[in-house]
Amino acid sequence: MSTDLPTIELSTGALIPQLGLGVWQADEADTEHAVRYAIGTAGYRHIDTAAAYGNEAAVGRGVAASGVARSDVFVTTKLWNADHGHARALGAVDASLERLGLDHVDLYLIHWPLQNTERLVETWQALIEIQQAGKATSIGVSNFQPHHLTTIIEATGQAPAVNQVELHPRLAQHELRTFCADAGIAVEAWSPLGGSGAGWGADSKPNTLLTDPAITRVAQRHGRSPAQVIIRWHLQNGIIVIPKSVHDERIAQNIDVLDFDLDADDLAAIDALDTGERVGAHPDDLNLAAPD
Ligand code: A2P
């Protein structure tokens, strides 16, 4: 990696830049521009997409147009729910790679665990084969609770390198983070700024974190934006963070966080916001698009 971004060593030995760009709910045109700008101008080296976002092709074009070598950019995509099961998973990664225009991704995640445990193990077994075939350097999961992680680890003997979950100051996920740390699983935060406000799932709600008075107070003290303070909180907690934006000035602002530190009082004030409130669905409740 060719920037000063902090990295985290995954269990595979691969280095993941701790800060990346998320592109959920970004259309093709916005995604292509955002990815190109983020890598080519703002200094990002990590893009997080998913088959379900419908913008993998745009991510691929943005990476290609960025002027930065593919080997210097960490690309994550995810297997959608309809592709659970061994055969479907093997087909899904090929389709994602085709859309991305890449011969491998750096990280391939199961997007949701769903509620069929036997099939979940089959899907994880397929991801292990995908990694062995060199189509994904590292493999992991998203939205897994400890019981899902235990199931796939006990069945296959292989732990995911990453678990990407909803995580922000209102949902600090301490128990899950401890479980993952003990199992050598890096934790990645989705909706790290509190989400888009467009929402989805039973618990979706507008973003009120970016205007939270406690965050605003810390931001004012440092002469920084609320988003920058929240991103620092993630970085200083050892979490991989992928804030989403399609606006150049916000994309640039969100990576301009490497020259200040939150002190213990700042961190404690933000830690106090942990009410366990979600902006998205609870992993155990969701079975959306599951195959028959
Ligand atoms: P936009 O893409 O219009 O900039 P998440 O928590 O899922 O990363 O969501 C971040 C949300 O906050 C997105 O809707 C994004 O919208 C917005 N956003 C991203 N960066 C900033 C920022 N620096 N200041 C204010 N809003 C931001």
mmCIF file of all heavy atoms in Angstrom, residues 24-25 190-197 207 210 225 227-228 242-247 250-251 253-254, ligand 1:
data_model
loop_
_atom_site.group_PDB
_atom_site.id
_atom_site.type_symbol
_atom_site.label_atom_id
_atom_site.label_comp_id
_atom_site.label_asym_id
_atom_site.label_seq_id
_atom_site.Cartn_x
_atom_site.Cartn_y
_atom_site.Cartn_z
ATOM 1 N N TRP A 24 -22.504 1.663 -0.583
ATOM 2 C CA TRP A 24 -23.895 1.205 -0.545
ATOM 3 C C TRP A 24 -24.833 2.356 -0.893
ATOM 4 O O TRP A 24 -24.611 3.489 -0.456
ATOM 5 C CB TRP A 24 -24.244 0.662 0.858
ATOM 6 C CG TRP A 24 -25.627 0.107 0.933
ATOM 7 C CD1 TRP A 24 -26.248 -0.706 0.025
ATOM 8 C CD2 TRP A 24 -26.593 0.350 1.971
ATOM 9 N NE1 TRP A 24 -27.526 -1.003 0.447
ATOM 10 C CE2 TRP A 24 -27.765 -0.367 1.632
ATOM 11 C CE3 TRP A 24 -26.566 1.095 3.155
ATOM 12 C CZ2 TRP A 24 -28.912 -0.366 2.432
ATOM 13 C CZ3 TRP A 24 -27.704 1.096 3.955
ATOM 14 C CH2 TRP A 24 -28.862 0.377 3.593
ATOM 15 N N GLN A 25 -25.880 2.071 -1.675
ATOM 16 C CA GLN A 25 -26.893 3.048 -2.075
ATOM 17 C C GLN A 25 -26.352 4.120 -3.019
ATOM 18 O O GLN A 25 -26.974 5.173 -3.184
ATOM 19 C CB GLN A 25 -27.543 3.718 -0.845
ATOM 20 C CG GLN A 25 -28.360 2.739 -0.011
ATOM 21 C CD GLN A 25 -28.935 3.358 1.250
ATOM 22 O OE1 GLN A 25 -28.289 4.190 1.879
ATOM 23 N NE2 GLN A 25 -30.121 2.944 1.639
ATOM 24 N N TRP A 190 -19.964 -1.291 9.370
ATOM 25 C CA TRP A 190 -20.843 -0.661 8.353
ATOM 26 C C TRP A 190 -21.769 0.342 9.035
ATOM 27 O O TRP A 190 -22.003 0.254 10.241
ATOM 28 C CB TRP A 190 -21.556 -1.657 7.480
ATOM 29 C CG TRP A 190 -22.571 -2.647 8.006
ATOM 30 C CD1 TRP A 190 -22.356 -3.988 8.175
ATOM 31 C CD2 TRP A 190 -23.969 -2.422 8.315
ATOM 32 N NE1 TRP A 190 -23.526 -4.589 8.608
ATOM 33 C CE2 TRP A 190 -24.536 -3.666 8.695
ATOM 34 C CE3 TRP A 190 -24.798 -1.302 8.313
ATOM 35 C CZ2 TRP A 190 -25.877 -3.811 9.073
ATOM 36 C CZ3 TRP A 190 -26.142 -1.447 8.690
ATOM 37 C CH2 TRP A 190 -26.660 -2.691 9.064
ATOM 38 N N SER A 191 -22.240 1.309 8.231
ATOM 39 C CA SER A 191 -22.928 2.479 8.794
ATOM 40 C C SER A 191 -22.130 3.083 9.940
ATOM 41 O O SER A 191 -22.664 3.377 11.023
ATOM 42 C CB SER A 191 -24.361 2.139 9.249
ATOM 43 O OG SER A 191 -25.217 2.076 8.140
ATOM 44 N N PRO A 192 -20.816 3.296 9.735
ATOM 45 C CA PRO A 192 -19.977 3.784 10.833
ATOM 46 C C PRO A 192 -20.348 5.182 11.291
ATOM 47 O O PRO A 192 -20.080 5.550 12.432
ATOM 48 C CB PRO A 192 -18.560 3.776 10.234
ATOM 49 C CG PRO A 192 -18.779 3.930 8.760
ATOM 50 C CD PRO A 192 -20.053 3.142 8.486
ATOM 51 N N LEU A 193 -20.979 5.966 10.389
ATOM 52 C CA LEU A 193 -21.369 7.340 10.757
ATOM 53 C C LEU A 193 -22.821 7.385 11.224
ATOM 54 O O LEU A 193 -23.376 8.460 11.428
ATOM 55 C CB LEU A 193 -21.184 8.284 9.555
ATOM 56 C CG LEU A 193 -19.779 8.351 8.953
ATOM 57 C CD1 LEU A 193 -19.754 9.305 7.749
ATOM 58 C CD2 LEU A 193 -18.754 8.784 9.998
ATOM 59 N N GLY A 194 -23.434 6.212 11.340
ATOM 60 C CA GLY A 194 -24.832 6.169 11.776
ATOM 61 C C GLY A 194 -25.807 5.983 10.634
ATOM 62 O O GLY A 194 -27.022 6.076 10.824
ATOM 63 N N GLY A 195 -25.277 5.719 9.440
ATOM 64 C CA GLY A 195 -26.138 5.349 8.319
ATOM 65 C C GLY A 195 -26.573 6.511 7.460
ATOM 66 O O GLY A 195 -26.326 7.679 7.757
ATOM 67 N N SER A 196 -27.243 6.146 6.370
ATOM 68 C CA SER A 196 -27.573 7.130 5.335
ATOM 69 C C SER A 196 -28.843 7.907 5.639
ATOM 70 O O SER A 196 -29.113 8.926 5.016
ATOM 71 C CB SER A 196 -27.767 6.406 3.999
ATOM 72 O OG SER A 196 -28.929 5.599 4.082
ATOM 73 N N GLY A 197 -29.660 7.399 6.556
ATOM 74 C CA GLY A 197 -30.945 8.040 6.794
ATOM 75 C C GLY A 197 -32.008 7.516 5.850
ATOM 76 O O GLY A 197 -33.187 7.554 6.170
ATOM 77 N N ASN A 207 -30.433 9.427 10.207
ATOM 78 C CA ASN A 207 -29.151 9.627 10.892
ATOM 79 C C ASN A 207 -29.266 10.793 11.877
ATOM 80 O O ASN A 207 -29.451 11.932 11.476
ATOM 81 C CB ASN A 207 -28.044 9.901 9.863
ATOM 82 C CG ASN A 207 -26.677 9.941 10.524
ATOM 83 O OD1 ASN A 207 -26.512 10.495 11.601
ATOM 84 N ND2 ASN A 207 -25.706 9.337 9.885
ATOM 85 N N LEU A 210 -24.737 12.103 13.441
ATOM 86 C CA LEU A 210 -23.865 13.180 12.955
ATOM 87 C C LEU A 210 -24.215 14.537 13.575
ATOM 88 O O LEU A 210 -23.430 15.480 13.479
ATOM 89 C CB LEU A 210 -23.943 13.261 11.422
ATOM 90 C CG LEU A 210 -23.179 12.152 10.678
ATOM 91 C CD1 LEU A 210 -23.612 12.071 9.221
ATOM 92 C CD2 LEU A 210 -21.671 12.387 10.781
ATOM 93 N N SER A 225 -14.975 18.061 11.894
ATOM 94 C CA SER A 225 -16.398 17.773 11.674
ATOM 95 C C SER A 225 -16.829 16.574 12.528
ATOM 96 O O SER A 225 -15.990 15.750 12.931
ATOM 97 C CB SER A 225 -16.650 17.467 10.195
ATOM 98 O OG SER A 225 -16.159 16.174 9.900
ATOM 99 N N ALA A 227 -18.272 13.922 11.487
ATOM 100 C CA ALA A 227 -17.880 12.697 10.774
ATOM 101 C C ALA A 227 -16.420 12.353 11.065
ATOM 102 O O ALA A 227 -16.077 11.184 11.308
ATOM 103 C CB ALA A 227 -18.099 12.879 9.268
ATOM 104 N N GLN A 228 -15.556 13.364 11.062
ATOM 105 C CA GLN A 228 -14.128 13.096 11.317
ATOM 106 C C GLN A 228 -13.908 12.547 12.728
ATOM 107 O O GLN A 228 -13.079 11.672 12.939
ATOM 108 C CB GLN A 228 -13.315 14.376 11.106
ATOM 109 C CG GLN A 228 -13.205 14.769 9.634
ATOM 110 C CD GLN A 228 -12.500 16.092 9.440
ATOM 111 O OE1 GLN A 228 -12.811 17.079 10.123
ATOM 112 N NE2 GLN A 228 -11.567 16.133 8.518
ATOM 113 N N ILE A 242 -15.494 2.065 7.022
ATOM 114 C CA ILE A 242 -15.727 2.312 5.592
ATOM 115 C C ILE A 242 -16.867 3.318 5.393
ATOM 116 O O ILE A 242 -17.935 2.978 4.871
ATOM 117 C CB ILE A 242 -16.032 0.989 4.846
ATOM 118 C CG1 ILE A 242 -17.030 0.125 5.658
ATOM 119 C CG2 ILE A 242 -14.763 0.202 4.578
ATOM 120 C CD1 ILE A 242 -17.575 -1.080 4.881
ATOM 121 N N PRO A 243 -16.660 4.596 5.807
ATOM 122 C CA PRO A 243 -17.723 5.589 5.626
ATOM 123 C C PRO A 243 -18.092 5.729 4.149
ATOM 124 O O PRO A 243 -17.226 5.702 3.286
ATOM 125 C CB PRO A 243 -17.089 6.879 6.170
ATOM 126 C CG PRO A 243 -15.613 6.654 6.096
ATOM 127 C CD PRO A 243 -15.417 5.188 6.312
ATOM 128 N N LYS A 244 -19.390 5.880 3.920
ATOM 129 C CA LYS A 244 -19.880 6.034 2.554
ATOM 130 C C LYS A 244 -20.094 7.510 2.243
ATOM 131 O O LYS A 244 -20.673 8.252 3.052
ATOM 132 C CB LYS A 244 -21.208 5.284 2.397
ATOM 133 C CG LYS A 244 -21.884 5.458 1.039
ATOM 134 C CD LYS A 244 -22.997 6.491 1.045
ATOM 135 C CE LYS A 244 -23.587 6.728 -0.336
ATOM 136 N NZ LYS A 244 -24.616 7.797 -0.318
ATOM 137 N N SER A 245 -19.626 7.957 1.099
ATOM 138 C CA SER A 245 -20.058 9.244 0.561
ATOM 139 C C SER A 245 -19.852 9.242 -0.948
ATOM 140 O O SER A 245 -18.961 8.572 -1.460
ATOM 141 C CB SER A 245 -19.291 10.424 1.173
ATOM 142 O OG SER A 245 -19.824 11.633 0.633
ATOM 143 N N VAL A 246 -20.697 9.995 -1.634
ATOM 144 C CA VAL A 246 -20.510 10.169 -3.073
ATOM 145 C C VAL A 246 -20.122 11.617 -3.386
ATOM 146 O O VAL A 246 -20.114 12.015 -4.542
ATOM 147 C CB VAL A 246 -21.777 9.774 -3.866
ATOM 148 C CG1 VAL A 246 -22.028 8.276 -3.751
ATOM 149 C CG2 VAL A 246 -23.007 10.562 -3.411
ATOM 150 N N HIS A 247 -19.805 12.379 -2.340
ATOM 151 C CA HIS A 247 -19.444 13.781 -2.548
ATOM 152 C C HIS A 247 -17.951 13.988 -2.320
ATOM 153 O O HIS A 247 -17.435 13.630 -1.249
ATOM 154 C CB HIS A 247 -20.262 14.675 -1.607
ATOM 155 C CG HIS A 247 -21.732 14.603 -1.885
ATOM 156 N ND1 HIS A 247 -22.621 13.905 -1.104
ATOM 157 C CD2 HIS A 247 -22.457 15.111 -2.907
ATOM 158 C CE1 HIS A 247 -23.831 13.994 -1.617
ATOM 159 N NE2 HIS A 247 -23.754 14.723 -2.722
ATOM 160 N N ARG A 250 -16.724 15.482 0.992
ATOM 161 C CA ARG A 250 -16.877 14.588 2.146
ATOM 162 C C ARG A 250 -15.908 13.403 2.055
ATOM 163 O O ARG A 250 -15.364 12.962 3.080
ATOM 164 C CB ARG A 250 -18.311 14.073 2.235
ATOM 165 C CG ARG A 250 -19.291 15.139 2.659
ATOM 166 C CD ARG A 250 -20.687 14.575 2.670
ATOM 167 N NE ARG A 250 -21.659 15.529 3.189
ATOM 168 C CZ ARG A 250 -22.969 15.311 3.165
ATOM 169 N NH1 ARG A 250 -23.453 14.187 2.658
ATOM 170 N NH2 ARG A 250 -23.779 16.209 3.656
ATOM 171 N N ILE A 251 -15.721 12.889 0.847
ATOM 172 C CA ILE A 251 -14.761 11.788 0.664
ATOM 173 C C ILE A 251 -13.381 12.249 1.138
ATOM 174 O O ILE A 251 -12.679 11.539 1.866
ATOM 175 C CB ILE A 251 -14.738 11.336 -0.822
ATOM 176 C CG1 ILE A 251 -16.071 10.681 -1.198
ATOM 177 C CG2 ILE A 251 -13.564 10.404 -1.094
ATOM 178 C CD1 ILE A 251 -16.240 10.418 -2.691
ATOM 179 N N GLN A 253 -12.750 14.840 3.175
ATOM 180 C CA GLN A 253 -12.811 15.150 4.618
ATOM 181 C C GLN A 253 -12.681 13.879 5.460
ATOM 182 O O GLN A 253 -11.998 13.857 6.490
ATOM 183 C CB GLN A 253 -14.158 15.827 4.909
ATOM 184 C CG GLN A 253 -14.379 16.235 6.327
ATOM 185 C CD GLN A 253 -15.850 16.560 6.576
ATOM 186 O OE1 GLN A 253 -16.526 15.869 7.320
ATOM 187 N NE2 GLN A 253 -16.349 17.626 5.950
ATOM 188 N N ASN A 254 -13.321 12.801 4.994
ATOM 189 C CA ASN A 254 -13.365 11.581 5.804
ATOM 190 C C ASN A 254 -12.018 10.865 5.900
ATOM 191 O O ASN A 254 -11.826 10.051 6.797
ATOM 192 C CB ASN A 254 -14.439 10.624 5.258
ATOM 193 C CG ASN A 254 -15.846 11.167 5.441
ATOM 194 O OD1 ASN A 254 -16.047 12.147 6.155
ATOM 195 N ND2 ASN A 254 -16.811 10.553 4.793
HETATM 196 P P1 A2P B 1 -23.454 11.233 1.043
HETATM 197 O O1 A2P B 1 -23.070 10.039 0.233
HETATM 198 O O2 A2P B 1 -24.596 11.987 0.436
HETATM 199 O O3 A2P B 1 -22.267 12.108 1.391
HETATM 200 P P2 A2P B 1 -22.555 5.486 6.677
HETATM 201 O O4 A2P B 1 -22.681 5.641 8.160
HETATM 202 O O5 A2P B 1 -23.339 4.339 6.153
HETATM 203 O O6 A2P B 1 -21.160 5.523 6.189
HETATM 204 O O7 A2P B 1 -23.366 6.700 6.029
HETATM 205 C C1 A2P B 1 -22.831 7.906 5.892
HETATM 206 C C2 A2P B 1 -23.932 8.864 5.459
HETATM 207 O O8 A2P B 1 -23.522 10.160 5.837
HETATM 208 C C3 A2P B 1 -24.161 8.860 3.986
HETATM 209 O O9 A2P B 1 -25.539 9.038 3.733
HETATM 210 C C4 A2P B 1 -23.352 10.047 3.457
HETATM 211 O O10 A2P B 1 -24.092 10.712 2.451
HETATM 212 C C5 A2P B 1 -23.220 10.939 4.682
HETATM 213 N N1 A2P B 1 -21.845 11.419 4.884
HETATM 214 C C6 A2P B 1 -20.677 10.834 4.573
HETATM 215 N N2 A2P B 1 -19.631 11.578 4.942
HETATM 216 C C7 A2P B 1 -20.138 12.674 5.535
HETATM 217 C C8 A2P B 1 -19.575 13.832 6.129
HETATM 218 N N3 A2P B 1 -18.252 13.983 6.185
HETATM 219 N N4 A2P B 1 -20.423 14.764 6.636
HETATM 220 C C9 A2P B 1 -21.760 14.609 6.584
HETATM 221 N N5 A2P B 1 -22.359 13.535 6.026
HETATM 222 C C10 A2P B 1 -21.558 12.578 5.510
#
